[in-house]
Amino acid sequence: MHELGATRLAVPVGLHTGLGCDAVGVPARFGFKILSRLPAKGCVYADSDWWWWLVPAGSDHDLTWPLPACYAPGAEIPDRRPRLIHHPDGTSPYTPPIPLYLLVCQLTGTAPSWPAPSVRSAL
């Protein structure tokens, strides 16, 4: 079996990455469903097996992305020669992570889950 190397998704020139870049990948069978349902889309990359969305760094903070999704810190992914298939209209390369997370949960049949904030009484 041939082991894949890694590659970092290249952000197109002119897009602002001040928040850093991570990526969320899903199997290709979910790709068109997610792309068509998201109200805002950043850079999307695809190869024959996976589709990847750029999200701000730390978009996994207090979130567990449901399987079979894959969270890739630094937007470093297996090198299957992904290509850019969606360029955003504006200057941000990011897909908003919460709508993406909720849609991935819906498509995988997973209930969204994140820690509840601690509540303090002011009495």
Side-chain angles (χ1 to χ4, degrees), residues 2 27 53 63 65-66 87 102:
H2 176 14
W53 279 259
L63 285 180
W65 288 81
H87 190 289
L102 293 172

Side-chain angles (χ1 to χ4, degrees), residues 4-113:
L4 294 173
T7 190
R8 184 157 303 184
L9 294 172
V11 178
V13 173
L15 299 182
H16 302 287
T17 59
L19 300 176
C21 282
D22 288 350
V24 175
V26 297
R29 70 181 181 271
F30 294 119
F32 282 115
K33 288 178 185 174
I34 292 173
L35 190 63
S36 68
R37 294 178 186 176
L38 281 172
K41 303 168 238 343
C43 293
V44 182
Y45 303 80
D47 58 51
S48 60
D49 298 319
W50 286 84
W51 285 39
W52 298 91
W53 279 259
L54 284 185
V55 294
S59 293
D60 61 337
H61 183 70
D62 286 339
L63 285 180
T64 300
W65 288 81
L67 292 174
C70 178
Y71 192 85
E76 190 169 315
I77 65 167
D79 190 2
R80 294 186 184 100
R81 299 182 188 227
R83 67 192 190 291
L84 181 68
I85 62 166
H86 181 269
H87 190 289
D89 295 332
T91 59
S92 172
Y94 307 119
T95 294
I98 297 302
L100 178 60
Y101 172 76
L102 293 172
L103 192 50
V104 170
C105 285
Q106 180 185 36
L107 290 173
T108 60
T110 304
S113 174

